[in-house]
Amino acid sequence: MPLLVVGISVLVLLLLMTRLKVNGFAALLLVAVGVGVVQGIPLERIPDVLADGIGGQVGDTMLTIGLGAMVGRVMGDSGAAQRIAGSLLAAFGPRGVQAAMVVTSMLIGVTMFYEVAFIIIVPIAFTLVRVTGSKLLWVGLPMSVALSTMHSFLPPHPGPTSVAATFHASIGLTLLYGLFIAVPVGALVALTWPRLPFVRRLDPAIPQGLVTEREFTDEEMPGLGWSLLVALFPVVLIAGAAVTEMADSDDTPLLHLVAFVGSAPIALLLTLALAVWAFGPRTGRSLDDVAASCASAARAMAMILLVIGAGGAFKNVLVEGGTSDYIKDLTTGWAVSPLLLAWLVAAVLRVALGSATVAVVTASGVVLPLLAGSGAHAEMMVLAVSCGSIAFSHVNDPGFWLFKEYFNLSVTDAIKVRTSYTTVVAVLGLGGVLAVEQALDVLGL
């Protein structure tokens, strides 16, 4: 039974990493090979399946995470991150540091992938931790929760956008209804979770190499304008591309150019070039110093990228072994509300496969035949699938490893924190979807 294989593989992975202290990269690969053998993948194909999983995952994330880490380190070593952090403190006050993180993350996260926005904002979170003396999770966890919610619920993120196309739903209405759900749910969980006793007991240190330890004087730091320009430059490029694509469907050279410049790797590459000049020669800092900052960020990211790649291999073995097809066959014909079924199928696929994108695409295919006669709004079906795909993030989710490594947590603690908050966000999101669907019916919309 594929779901039993998934459950056992997760337990074995936890045993290897917590009790036997096996390196995360090696443990993930060992378990992936074992799962491939058990699920009947031919032995000669398993290396290719692993390689495809690693290549697909690292190919999607290496440029984004690597370039983003370099931008963040250049900003940190120049004092730009401290300048932005100080301005947030001045605006929100020391007691409002979590609110500052939530507002910043939601504004940036509306159009940016979780990983991209995470990499851009996390240097500011690290700096706020150092400046205020707060615990890392007290500042960083609200950021992660807010970004997870925005990424999972709202177009133009890939999951909701692809499901909207399947259901022929309005992207604009999906975004509008989604904001009514995502903002209160994300803010509630983001401000609640750091206050829970099991989270407050954790006190991880900032990982070495990802942020400068130096404290700058006011004269040494670049101006707020330049600091914000560099921080928001990729946001403007990526958001502009997303808005242009939604507003203009014509196949024109200008649209291709905007899409190219607004793709995450190109936007971050241009941002890095801007940061190197703005916080290097423009301020009298040598290019050698800026290059050293980039090299330091690259060294710090090496193991994180290896672990994320191995998570992709684990996910790919599960997909190739037929787990998604098994779940699709299992749930076909269930006599439940289409909104609830859409959420449930996406959540089960998320648990089994780790990939939110695979979960939403498969779940939408399962429940699509139910949409026509159900009376449910297509936009609410999109949101039901999308919020189900955030649930139960754990060791087969590459985003789980990004969260774990950046917040310097053990596997067990990362499961306690991330798996719990993603599940609660998904459940509250389902409640919001059902409430909005009911309100639309009452209003006759």
Side-chain angles (χ1 to χ4, degrees):
M1 182 178 180
L3 293 182
L4 181 61
V5 172
V6 172
I8 293 174
S9 66
V10 170
L11 292 177
V12 171
L13 184 60
L14 292 177
L15 175 64
L16 289 173
M17 296 187 66
T18 58
R19 292 293 182 89
L20 302 181
K21 306 299 181 184
V22 177
N23 173 268
F25 176 70
L28 280 163
L29 289 181
L30 285 171
V31 173
V33 170
V35 170
V37 172
V38 171
Q39 296 207 55
I41 298 175
L43 294 179
E44 67 274 12
R45 284 199 61 233
I46 290 178
D48 291 336
V49 172
L50 296 178
D52 289 344
I54 292 174
Q57 190 62 52
V58 174
D60 289 341
T61 59
M62 184 177 70
L63 292 175
T64 297
I65 294 177
L67 291 169
M70 289 181 184
V71 171
R73 187 62 197 254
V74 170
M75 291 183 64
D77 287 349
S78 68
Q82 185 177 328
R83 174 69 77 183
I84 295 173
S87 299
L88 287 173
L89 278 178
F92 287 87
R95 293 179 177 272
V97 64
Q98 290 181 319
M101 283 287 94
V102 171
V103 171
T104 302
S105 300
M106 285 189 171
L107 289 175
I108 292 178
V110 167
T111 56
M112 297 188 74
F113 288 10
Y114 173 83
E115 293 85 356
V116 181
F118 188 102
I119 294 296
I120 289 173
I121 302 174
V122 78
I124 298 171
F126 286 164
T127 305
L128 284 171
V129 169
R130 194 186 69 242
V131 170
T132 63
S134 302
K135 289 185 176 182
L136 177 55
L137 291 179
W138 184 258
V139 178
L141 186 53
M143 173 198 77
S144 183
V145 173
L147 291 178
S148 294
T149 308
M150 297 292 108
H151 177 88
S152 299
F153 279 39
L154 306 175
H157 295 294
T161 301
S162 65
V163 179
T166 300
F167 291 146
H168 301 290
S170 165
I171 294 288
L173 285 177
T174 302
L175 178 60
L176 177 64
Y177 298 152
L179 284 170
F180 278 108
I181 301 168
V183 171
V185 167
L188 175 63
V189 177
L191 297 176
T192 300
W193 234 243
R195 290 169 167 78
L196 298 179
F198 73 91
V199 177
R200 299 196 69 164
R201 283 195 294 268
L202 303 176
D203 190 16
I206 296 174
Q208 293 184 353
L210 294 179
V211 67
T212 181
E213 299 295 329
R214 178 183 173 188
E215 288 198 28
F216 295 85
T217 65
D218 189 68
E219 292 75 19
E220 292 174 322
M221 292 185 289
L224 180 61
W226 278 105
S227 301
L228 287 175
L229 173 63
V230 173
L232 296 178
F233 190 63
V235 179
V236 173
L237 293 180
I238 295 172
V243 172
T244 302
E245 186 177 357
M246 287 191 294
D248 185 6
S249 59
D250 294 335
D251 190 13
T252 63
L254 178 60
L255 189 62
H256 288 302
L257 177 62
V258 171
F260 169 74
V261 173
S263 64
I266 300 301
L268 286 170
L269 181 60
L270 294 174
T271 302
L272 180 60
L274 176 62
V276 167
W277 174 78
F279 304 136
R282 192 191 69 84
T283 59
R285 188 176 174 217
S286 71
L287 288 177
D288 286 341
D289 286 344
V290 178
S293 296
C294 293
S296 177
R299 286 192 296 271
M301 291 305 302
M303 183 51 67
I304 294 176
L305 286 171
L306 283 175
V307 172
I308 289 174
F314 185 25
K315 174 196 72 179
N316 201 45
V317 166
L318 293 172
V319 173
E320 290 292 325
T323 302
S324 59
D325 293 334
Y326 172 82
I327 294 171
K328 183 174 181 178
D329 293 340
L330 179 68
T331 54
T332 300
W334 284 7
V336 297
S337 160
L339 291 174
L340 181 57
L341 180 61
W343 182 93
L344 184 60
V345 173
V348 172
L349 284 162
R350 165 71 158 182
V351 173
L353 304 176
S355 171
T357 302
V358 174
V360 295
V361 170
T362 305
S364 61
V366 171
V367 299
L368 178 61
L370 301 178
L371 178 60
S374 68
H377 292 79
E379 292 77 19
M380 303 317 298
M381 290 286 283
V382 173
L383 293 173
V385 171
S386 299
C387 71
S389 72
I390 192 179
F392 305 107
S393 170
H394 64 100
V395 293
N396 61 356
D397 173 20
F400 172 90
W401 297 103
L402 181 72
F403 177 88
K404 173 196 173 298
E405 296 295 329
Y406 261 89
F407 290 135
N408 210 10
L409 296 168
S410 68
V411 175
T412 303
D413 288 337
I415 289 176
K416 290 178 182 177
V417 178
R418 180 170 166 86
T419 305
S420 62
Y421 91 65
T422 54
T423 303
V424 170
V425 167
V427 172
L428 292 178
L430 174 62
V433 168
L434 295 174
V436 172
E437 174 73 10
Q438 184 65 34
L440 292 175
D441 289 341
V442 170
L443 295 173
L445 298 176

